[in-house]
């Protein structure tokens, strides 16, 4: 037990840094009694001014603290003399006081700075902070304690040599004395308060301006509400509020008179004075938009009463289409009124009042919204989702002109270098608040409509490609999308054209019946392969090929095959969409010509076309603030994810599944191109140009990024499966060609037959078939995919050749034919420049020598030499091949004896 050390007590809860700093500050501050002086200062700043002398009489230290600058700086700052420009008000009050007070003889000033308690020891009103000539027995003051005593007040008045004119204490005492002298005026009846505060004009005292009177009332309001300098301040504050309301009513009347006479100077004077005493200057007051003068002025504008003649339903044509020319005319009237009255508001009202924004907000809510709501309600009632969505986007785009007008008007008050009266965020909030009631329904309908459109497009395509259709097959001479003689050039042209079309601006406001959406959206439809006609280059059968504008009889080619440098620029397979063109009607027959109908460029473009229409509408709302801004961005991500999901699951997957299924049961004696995948990276281009600006591509948890990765993986998997199925069918066809075109006596010719040194017909046709397909792939896929294809073909070709050799009977003369064929295959494989395949076929070519060796012992030695074939074949494997020799029965014993030192007749005895 002695080995154990006792645990020391530990503080489990340490204070925060803020608490520690406060504690350290209090610890370092000098204490007055048991409390730090800083805490006493906080108390002094919070209690009413009349209680300060009583607090200071407690002891010497508190008396010195009361005399410090920190306390009176706080009190002086609460008055807001510098912040609100109340200096002239105090100067005027001091000037008036000097005229009213008779000249007093000079007195001897006494320095009281070293006195422990100063003049607080006196019980009389030594410092002239009472109510002047008024009796202390008045209804609002019953003792000297109510008004408070201040050290050196009389001294400050008579000479500033002791405290200094610039000290905050002296400044506050001056303001306190001057404002205290106005307290008797607040005891007058309500209708006489203003006349008492602001005496009638005389020859020696000119009249006060409206702004001066307003500032005086404002200063008194802050004096009595924030400092409570008198015991009767609450009752005085009530009288002051009543006087301010009466004064504000007078200002409103003066403003109306000036407004009726278009006197902007008089309007501005009244407005500035009214704003000075408005409630927003009071703690806990309402919003700026509730300013009565600005509200009354706005209510009298005729724009709120003359727009009833404009009918929202005029934007619909007789056939139910949209024509927003009536709304253009309506918005022109609204913007003219906003520009006319808003310009006057900027010139007349104080910038801080925000009258321009509140006026524009009122117009948006009471005029524009009353026009937009019936329009959208009618569009929704037509049961046409596309019409409702276009109408919503168009209405928002039209009302957005209010924002530009507000900013244009706001810039008129200030020079370009000054800060604008209205920020762009404030102007945009006017339209955002007005349009919020329509956003929920719009966003929900946008997603639902897109899903329905995708479903119809995919269902229509699946119906067209169904094997149960009775539609006739396409004609053999119909040009296909890949029939061009320069596929790489065509691919480059389509990609560049598609990219350019994405950059064309889109107009979402229908101006006429014919124009419903932007040129870019219609431009994408020009890429539709269903418009692929015969107006391009002349093919081998005399027809012209090229991508034309539908059935246009003028045969205008949209793209022509021209020589472009680096036209075969490779695109990444992981994002490429392998698509081919669709013919006018798919064939129900299982043939290679119909496989290209299972994946279609036109379906891909239709899906992108629909998604882009939705995205362009949503982009109008992308800067929406707060909750709806988040919903808009989430909807954009949902649109992008839906596009990638439908394109992958409903089109690519289904097309490849059908293609692989067909290839697995396909039997034919002629081979068409198997891998005519137009590697057009439309999805990647669309993602980079349209979706990436709205998606954080670096966030791997983003739903769009995850959906894109899933689409890429799905595409990789099915391209691999499709490629494997295509290779399987191709090699089956090669096997068929070799079998059909290699008669049984090809490698066992008659003795008198002449010796042929060239490859056989079966070998020649098989190589020709393989070269044709590899040539087709070279223009359609990148080098990595091509190498995979060639490698798989080479590996499977070795298996086919080994199987074919094992099925033949080969004589010595036929062995030379075998070597000729193997040399031809080796030459073909060498042209692919794949080192591993070249080595394998070199070993296979060496294997042909076992059929031209006459001596059995030499043959056995060749079989046993495993290094001769690079280790690719074991002696047991070569033994199987030499069994196909026509003289095998004659040389079998010698070969076995030499290879295994075995004589079956002598060594194998069954007892």
């Amino acid at each position: 037990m002695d080995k154990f050390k006792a645990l020391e007590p530990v503080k489990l809860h340490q204070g925060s840094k803020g608490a520690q700093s406060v504690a350290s500050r209090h610890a370092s501050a000098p204490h007055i009694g048991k409390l730090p002086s800083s805490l006493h200062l906080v108390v002094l700043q919070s209690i009413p001014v009349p209680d300060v002398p009583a607090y200071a009489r407690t002891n010497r230290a508190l008396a010195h603290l009361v005399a410090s600058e920190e306390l009176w700086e706080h009190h002086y700052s609460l008055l807001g003399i510098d912040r609100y420009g109340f200096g002239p008000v105090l100067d005027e009050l001091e000037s008036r006081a000097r005229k009213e007070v008779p000249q007093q003889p000079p007195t001897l000033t006494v320095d009281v700075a070293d006195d422990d308690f100063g003049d607080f020891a006196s019980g009389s009103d030594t410092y002239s902070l009472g109510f002047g000539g008024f009796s202390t027995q008045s209804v609002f003051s019953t003792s000297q304690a109510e008004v408070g005593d201040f050290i050196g007040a009389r001294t400050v008045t008579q000479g500033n040599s002791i405290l200094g004119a610039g000290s905050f204490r002296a400044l506050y005492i001056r303001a306190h004395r001057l404002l205290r002298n106005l307290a008797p005026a607040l005891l007058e009846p309500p209708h006489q308060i203003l006349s008492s505060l602001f005496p009638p004009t005389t020859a020696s005292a000119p009249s006060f301006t409206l702004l001066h009177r307003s500032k005086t009332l404002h200063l008194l309001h802050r004096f009595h509400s924030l400092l409570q300098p008198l015991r009767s301040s609450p009752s005085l504050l009530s009288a002051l509020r009543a006087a301010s309301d009466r004064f504000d009513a007078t200002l409103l009347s003066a403003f109306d008179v000036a407004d009726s006479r278009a006197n902007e100077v008089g309007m501005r004077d009244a407005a500035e004075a009214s704003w000075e005493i408005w409630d927003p200057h009071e703690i806990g007051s309402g919003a700026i938009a509730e300013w009565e003068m600005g509200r009354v002025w706005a209510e009298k504008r005729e724009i709120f009463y003359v727009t009833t003649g404009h009918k929202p339903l005029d934007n619909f044509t007789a056939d139910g289409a949209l024509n927003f020319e009536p709304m253009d005319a309506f918005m022109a009237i609204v913007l003219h009124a906003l520009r006319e009255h808003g310009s006057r508001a900027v010139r007349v009202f104080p910038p801080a009042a925000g009258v321009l924004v509140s006026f524009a907000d009122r117009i948006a809510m009471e005029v524009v919204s009353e026009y937009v709501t019936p329009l959208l309600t009618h569009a929704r009632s037509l049961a046409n989702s596309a019409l409702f969505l276009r109408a919503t986007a168009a209405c928002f785009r039209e009302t957005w002109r209010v924002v530009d007008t507000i900013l244009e008007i706001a810039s008129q008050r200030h020079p370009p270098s000054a800060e604008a009266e209205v920020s762009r965020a404030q102007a945009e909030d006017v339209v955002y608040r007005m349009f919020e009631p329509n956003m929920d329904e719009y966003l929900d309908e946008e997603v639902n409509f897109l899903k329905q459109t995708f479903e119809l497009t995919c269902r229509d395509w699946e119906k067209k490609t169904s094997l149960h259709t009775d539609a006739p097959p396409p004609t053999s001479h119909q040009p296909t999308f890949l029939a061009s003689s320069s596929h790489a050039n065509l691919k480059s042209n389509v990609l560049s054209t598609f990219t350019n079309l994405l950059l064309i601006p889109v107009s979402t406001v229908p101006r006429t019946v014919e124009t419903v959406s932007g040129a870019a959206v219609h431009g994408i439809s020009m890429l539709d392969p269903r418009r692929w006609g015969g107006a391009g280059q002349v093919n081998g059968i005399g027809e012209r090929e090229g991508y034309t504008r539908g059935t246009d009889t003028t045969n205008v080619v949209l793209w022509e095959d021209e020589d472009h440098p680096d036209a075969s620029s490779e695109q990444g397979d992981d994002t490429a969409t392998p698509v081919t063109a669709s013919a006018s009607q798919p064939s129900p027959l299982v043939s290679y010509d119909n496989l290209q109908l299972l994946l279609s460029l036109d379906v891909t473009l239709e899906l992108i076309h629909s998604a882009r229409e939705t995205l362009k509408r949503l982009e109008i709302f992308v800067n929406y603030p707060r909750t709806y801004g988040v919903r808009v961005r989430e909807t954009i991500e949902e649109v992008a994810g839906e596009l990638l999901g439908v394109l992958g699951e409903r089109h690519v997957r289904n097309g490849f599944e059908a293609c692989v299924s067909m290839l697995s049961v396909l039997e034919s004696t002629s081979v068409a191109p198997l891998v005519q995948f137009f590697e057009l990276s439309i999805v990647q281009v669309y993602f980079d140009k349209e979706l990436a600006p709205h998606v954080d591509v670096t966030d791997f948890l983003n739903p769009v990024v995850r959906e894109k990765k899933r689409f890429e993986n799905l595409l990789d998997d099915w391209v691999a499966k499709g490629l494997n199925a295509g290779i399987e069918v191709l090699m089956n066809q090669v096997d068929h060609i070799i079998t059909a075109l290699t008669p049984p006596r090809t490698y066992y010719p008659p003795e008198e037959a002449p010796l042929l040194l060239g490859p056989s017909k079966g070998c020649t046709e098989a190589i020709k078939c393989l070269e044709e397909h590899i040539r087709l792939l070279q223009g359609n896929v990148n080098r990595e995919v091509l190498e995979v294809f060639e490698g798989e073909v080479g590996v499977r070709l070795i298996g086919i050749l080994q199987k074919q050799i094992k099925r033949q009977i080969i004589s010595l003369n036929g062995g030379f034919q075998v070597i000729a064929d193997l040399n031809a295959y080796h030459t073909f494989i060498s042209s692919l420049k794949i080192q591993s395949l070249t080595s394998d076929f070199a070993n296979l070519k060496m294997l042909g020598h076992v059929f031209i060796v006459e001596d059995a012992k030499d043959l056995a030695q060749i079989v046993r030499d495993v290094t001769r074939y690079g280790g690719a074949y074991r002696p047991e494997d070569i033994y199987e091949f030499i069994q196909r020799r026509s003289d095998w029965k004659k040389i079998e014993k010698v070969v076995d004896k030499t290879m295994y030192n075995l004589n079956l007749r002598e060594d194998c005895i069954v007892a």
Side-chain angles (χ1 to χ4, degrees):
M1 295 297 292
D2 295 337
K3 296 181 180 179
F4 293 97
K5 184 179 180 180
L7 295 177
E8 297 179 358
V10 179
K11 293 183 179 180
L12 298 180
H13 302 284
Q14 298 293 338
S16 62
K17 292 183 178 179
Q20 291 176 0
S21 62
V22 172
S24 61
R25 185 169 65 251
H26 286 322
S28 61
H31 281 57
I32 301 177
K34 295 183 179 181
L35 298 178
S37 59
S38 59
L39 187 57
H40 284 286
L41 182 62
V42 172
V43 173
L44 286 169
Q45 292 174 350
S46 303
I47 63 176
V49 173
D51 293 333
V52 172
Y55 202 93
R57 292 191 185 101
T58 305
N59 55 46
R60 297 175 182 178
L62 287 178
H64 283 291
L65 184 62
V66 168
S68 66
E69 282 290 286
E70 292 182 74
L71 173 62
W72 304 111
E73 179 182 3
H74 170 266
H75 283 5
Y76 187 75
S77 64
L78 288 180
L79 292 176
I81 304 296
D82 299 327
R83 178 182 177 185
Y84 297 105
F86 293 148
V89 175
L90 294 178
D91 294 341
E92 176 61 31
L93 292 176
E94 187 173 26
S95 175
R96 191 193 313 176
R98 287 176 179 175
K99 294 178 181 179
E100 296 176 354
V101 178
Q103 184 69 26
Q104 298 180 358
T107 58
L108 179 63
T109 60
V110 179
D111 189 354
V112 296
D114 295 331
D115 188 5
D116 289 338
F117 291 93
D119 293 299
F120 284 114
S122 174
S124 62
D125 188 8
T126 308
Y127 308 104
S128 300
L129 292 180
F131 294 114
F134 291 89
S135 172
T136 57
Q137 303 299 323
S138 61
V139 295
F140 61 90
S141 180
T142 60
S143 68
Q144 295 294 336
E146 289 189 357
V147 300
D149 294 333
F150 292 91
I151 298 175
R154 186 183 299 268
T155 305
V156 172
T157 305
Q158 297 177 353
N160 296 319
S161 61
I162 296 179
L163 297 178
S167 66
F168 286 104
R169 184 179 172 200
L171 293 174
Y172 176 77
I173 291 177
R174 171 178 177 260
H176 181 97
R177 178 178 56 80
L178 295 173
L179 295 176
R180 180 210 59 187
N181 292 337
L182 297 178
L186 300 179
L187 297 176
E188 300 288 340
H191 63 283
Q192 295 181 1
I193 293 179
L194 293 177
S195 59
S196 298
L197 288 174
F198 313 112
T201 304
T202 62
S204 60
S207 62
F208 300 108
T209 63
L210 295 177
L211 183 59
H212 180 87
R213 298 181 183 185
S214 181
K215 284 184 177 293
T216 302
L217 293 174
H218 185 194
L219 178 56
L220 282 173
H221 185 275
R222 295 183 65 87
F223 181 62
H224 287 286
S225 62
L226 300 180
L227 294 174
Q228 297 184 5
L230 306 175
R231 301 296 185 189
S232 301
S233 286
S235 60
L236 296 178
L237 187 60
S238 299
L240 181 61
R241 288 197 180 107
S244 298
D245 293 341
R246 183 179 293 272
F247 181 66
D248 190 55
T250 304
L251 293 175
L252 183 59
S253 177
F255 182 87
D256 288 340
V257 173
D259 186 18
S260 62
R261 298 176 180 177
N263 181 7
E264 293 189 1
V265 175
M267 295 172 64
R268 181 165 56 252
D269 292 342
E272 290 177 351
S274 177
W275 177 248
E276 186 70 29
I277 60 172
W278 187 241
D279 278 348
H281 293 294
E282 180 183 357
I283 301 299
S285 63
I288 292 177
E290 297 177 359
W291 184 32
E292 185 177 4
M293 183 171 288
R295 177 179 58 82
V296 172
W297 172 83
E299 288 178 349
K300 294 183 178 180
R301 302 309 99 187
E302 62 276 6
I303 184 62
F304 299 105
Y305 314 104
V306 299
T307 57
T308 56
H310 295 269
K311 306 298 181 183
L313 301 187
D314 292 344
N315 294 277
F316 297 89
T317 61
D319 56 353
L322 290 175
N323 179 8
F324 263 52
E325 291 180 355
M327 188 170 183
D328 281 341
F330 169 78
M331 289 301 300
I333 296 176
V334 172
L335 296 179
H336 174 73
L338 178 60
R339 191 174 288 107
E340 177 186 0
H341 301 299
S343 299
R344 174 167 291 183
V346 168
R347 295 191 299 269
V348 168
F349 294 104
V355 176
L356 174 60
V357 175
S358 61
F359 177 61
D361 188 75
R362 190 182 183 91
I363 288 180
M365 292 294 185
E366 299 184 13
V367 180
V368 180
S369 180
E370 293 297 326
Y371 186 92
V372 170
T373 301
L375 192 156
L376 297 182
T377 302
H378 181 71
R380 196 74 180 91
S381 65
L382 295 179
N384 187 338
S385 297
L387 190 70
F388 169 72
L389 297 175
R390 288 196 294 269
T392 304
C395 287
F396 186 83
R397 179 60 71 189
E398 282 287 297
T399 56
W400 192 255
R401 295 161 62 185
V402 172
V403 175
D404 299 330
T405 305
I406 293 175
L407 295 176
E408 174 190 345
I409 297 171
S411 63
Q412 297 176 4
R413 186 179 183 98
H414 298 279
S417 59
E419 183 180 356
E421 175 183 339
V422 180
S423 66
R424 185 168 190 86
Q426 290 176 313
E428 291 177 351
D429 282 344
V430 171
V431 177
Y432 286 139
R433 284 194 299 268
M434 184 270 293
F435 218 80
E436 275 186 1
N438 306 303
M439 290 302 296
D440 286 322
E441 185 178 15
Y442 165 73
L443 294 176
D444 293 338
E445 187 62 29
E446 195 73 79
V447 175
N448 294 335
F449 176 72
L450 183 68
K451 291 180 179 180
Q452 293 174 6
T453 304
F454 284 169
E455 179 65 26
L456 291 176
T457 301
C458 294
R459 189 184 302 170
D460 181 63
W461 177 248
E462 292 167 358
K463 182 178 179 181
K464 288 181 179 180
T465 56
S466 174
L467 298 180
H468 302 289
T469 180
D470 297 329
T475 60
S476 59
H477 300 304
Q478 182 176 4
T480 62
F481 191 65
L482 296 179
S484 174
S485 60
S486 179
H487 173 75
N489 289 345
L490 179 61
K491 169 184 173 180
S492 177
N493 288 334
V494 172
L495 276 177
S496 60
T497 304
F498 179 77
T499 304
N500 293 334
L501 290 175
L502 291 178
L503 300 178
I504 297 178
V506 177
S507 175
T508 56
V509 181
R511 302 294 181 186
T512 60
V513 179
E514 293 79 10
T515 306
V516 178
S517 59
V521 175
H522 285 301
I524 291 179
S525 64
M526 292 304 300
L527 290 168
D528 191 347
R530 288 172 292 188
R531 298 171 181 243
W532 189 272
Q537 297 179 342
V538 179
N539 58 18
I541 59 176
E543 292 183 344
R544 296 184 64 83
E545 301 170 354
Y547 193 64
T548 62
R549 293 179 174 87
T551 57
D552 190 357
T553 56
T554 59
N555 292 335
V556 179
V557 181
L558 193 59
W559 302 299
E560 294 181 357
D561 289 338
E562 300 176 354
D563 293 334
H564 297 285
D566 195 23
S568 59
S569 59
E570 299 177 354
Q571 304 289 339
D573 282 338
D574 56 346
T575 56
T577 306
V579 289
T580 58
S582 62
S584 59
Q585 292 291 341
S587 171
L589 302 179
V590 182
S591 66
Y592 286 98
D593 294 334
N594 292 327
L595 294 183
Q596 63 181 347
L597 303 178
L598 300 176
L599 291 173
S600 172
L601 176 62
D602 62 329
V603 172
T604 302
L605 290 174
E606 282 186 35
L607 296 176
I608 293 178
H609 171 89
S610 301
R612 188 168 190 264
E613 278 189 324
T614 298
L615 182 62
K616 286 304 177 184
R617 288 192 294 265
L618 288 171
E619 283 180 349
I620 300 175
F621 306 93
V622 74
N623 293 323
Y624 229 104
R626 298 177 290 277
T627 303
Y628 287 105
V630 175
R631 280 208 60 193
V632 170
R633 289 184 284 275
E634 289 176 349
T635 304
I636 290 177
E637 293 180 351
E638 187 174 359
V639 167
E642 191 70 22
L643 171 64
L644 295 172
V646 170
L647 188 60
E649 296 293 335
R650 293 295 301 274
H651 186 58
V652 173
R653 179 189 293 274
N654 292 347
F656 270 105
E657 282 181 350
C659 180
V660 172
S661 177
M662 291 181 182
L663 288 175
S664 64
V665 298
L666 187 59
E667 296 181 2
S668 175
T669 58
S670 62
V671 178
L674 290 178
V675 192
Q676 286 192 353
F677 295 148
F678 185 65
E679 190 198 341
L680 181 63
S681 303
I682 287 183
V683 174
Q684 183 64 36
V685 171
Y686 179 71
F687 184 87
D688 293 339
K689 297 294 184 181
E690 297 285 344
L691 300 180
H694 307 292
V695 176
D696 184 6
V697 295
T698 61
D699 181 10
F700 65 94
L701 294 178
N702 186 280
V704 180
V705 176
R706 294 172 60 185
E707 190 65 37
K708 180 173 178 286
K709 187 62 178 177
R710 194 167 74 91
F711 172 76
E712 294 169 355
N713 293 337
L714 181 145
L715 193 58
D716 289 342
D717 294 341
W718 282 105
V719 166
K721 293 179 182 179
L723 196 61
N724 180 71
I727 293 174
E728 184 71 28
V729 176
L730 173 62
M731 300 315 296
N732 289 341
Q733 184 64 21
V734 170
D735 191 7
H736 171 77
I737 291 174
I738 295 176
T739 302
L741 300 182
T742 305
R745 299 300 297 267
T746 301
Y747 301 128
Y748 188 19
E751 294 295 336
E752 67 277 2
L755 184 63
L756 300 177
L757 299 180
S760 64
K761 184 177 181 181
C763 173
T764 303
E765 292 298 324
I767 293 176
K768 181 179 178 181
C769 177
L770 293 173
E771 288 178 339
E772 177 184 0
H773 287 84
I774 292 177
R775 178 182 59 81
L776 290 172
L777 277 176
Q778 288 174 349
N780 296 330
V781 298
N782 60 16
R783 182 60 191 171
E784 289 77 10
V785 175
L786 185 61
E787 289 181 355
V788 172
F789 177 82
E790 292 173 345
E792 189 64 23
V793 166
V795 171
R796 299 193 187 194
L797 181 59
I798 289 180
I800 291 174
L801 295 179
Q802 291 175 351
K803 182 180 67 174
Q804 289 290 342
I805 291 175
K806 292 178 181 180
R807 288 193 303 203
Q808 298 290 333
I809 298 177
I810 305 171
S811 62
L812 290 176
N813 291 336
F816 290 100
Q817 184 64 57
V818 172
I819 293 176
D821 287 351
L822 294 179
N823 286 337
Y825 286 121
H826 179 266
T827 302
F828 162 69
I829 293 298
S830 298
S831 66
L832 303 181
K833 298 179 181 181
I834 301 178
Q835 184 61 38
S836 59
L837 283 180
T838 303
S839 301
D840 292 341
F841 274 83
N843 296 329
L844 181 63
K845 183 178 68 172
M846 294 296 297
L847 184 62
H849 295 166
V850 300
F851 300 108
I852 61 174
V853 176
E854 296 186 13
D855 187 82
K857 293 184 178 181
D858 293 340
L859 178 60
Q861 293 298 328
I862 292 175
V863 173
R864 294 179 61 180
D865 186 7
V866 295
T867 61
R868 182 182 181 90
Y869 309 102
Y873 299 98
R874 300 174 300 171
E876 294 80 0
D877 298 329
I878 303 175
Y879 190 84
E880 293 181 5
F881 285 104
I882 63 176
Q883 289 179 342
R884 308 314 302 167
R885 289 174 57 117
S886 60
D887 59 349
W888 174 247
K889 295 298 182 182
K890 298 179 181 178
I891 64 175
E892 180 180 8
K893 298 177 183 179
V894 179
V895 171
D896 291 342
K897 180 68 175 177
T898 304
M899 287 184 63
Y900 307 111
N901 195 20
L902 176 66
N903 191 329
L904 294 179
R905 293 186 178 181
E906 298 178 359
D907 297 340
C908 295
I909 300 174
V910 180

